[in-house]
Amino acid sequence: MRTASLILATITTGLTAGVFTEWSTTVMPGLGDVDDRTFVTAFRALNDAIEKPLFVGVQFLGALLFIGLAVVLHLRAEHRRTLIWVGAALAFYLVTHAVTYGVHLPLNEKIMDAGPLTTDADFAAARAQLDEAKWTAWNAVRALTSIIAFACLTWALVVHRRFTHRTER
């Protein structure tokens, strides 16, 4: 159960880190080069697509649950070395969640709720509501914190394997 929780935590965290990294390196820079109407329309479509159970439930929240489970399963003293890395992953992933709930969701709601959008000025105002620079900067933070969480979990798997290999002898 310990190994399975670590593997699932690592996979789901890695997938989530990939999504946030892609938004930082490709999606937002690409959208930054388009007109307001295209930006708002595309951002809304992307936001709708990402708010599906596969990402939100399996990856984003699933990672948090699996990391938490891995922490609980490694609380015993003999698993302390693994626990340190899983605990660090949890701390970094909690920052990812805090940034998402504290910055991104409120900004996303502003652009999603803007309307009706009929004129170029309406689309410009909706885009301004998002505060692209703030959104992008904080997304870089959550990309980084989720990547660090993924790295910590990857190392936790190495430490866990060394421990289980030693105890199997």
Side-chain angles (χ1 to χ4, degrees), residues 49-115:
I50 206 166
E51 288 184 351
K52 301 290 187 231
L54 184 59
F55 176 74
V56 174
V58 176
Q59 287 176 227
F60 187 64
L61 293 174
L64 183 62
L65 293 173
F66 289 127
I67 296 169
L69 178 61
V71 165
V72 170
L73 293 174
H74 288 88
L75 285 175
R76 293 178 51 190
E78 65 268 20
H79 300 287
R80 192 66 37 140
R81 288 183 180 176
T82 303
L83 178 63
I84 290 168
W85 290 102
V86 178
L90 180 60
F92 280 104
Y93 201 70
L94 285 171
V95 172
T96 302
H97 271 257
V99 169
T100 298
Y101 294 115
V103 177
H104 289 95
L105 291 181
L107 290 175
N108 291 358
E109 286 302 314
K110 286 181 180 182
I111 198 170
M112 297 304 285
D113 293 342

Side-chain angles (χ1 to χ4, degrees), residues 103-104 107 130-139:
V103 177
H104 289 95
L107 290 175
L130 180 70
D131 192 349
E132 234 173 297
K134 180 178 180 180
W135 196 102
T136 302
W138 281 102
N139 189 67

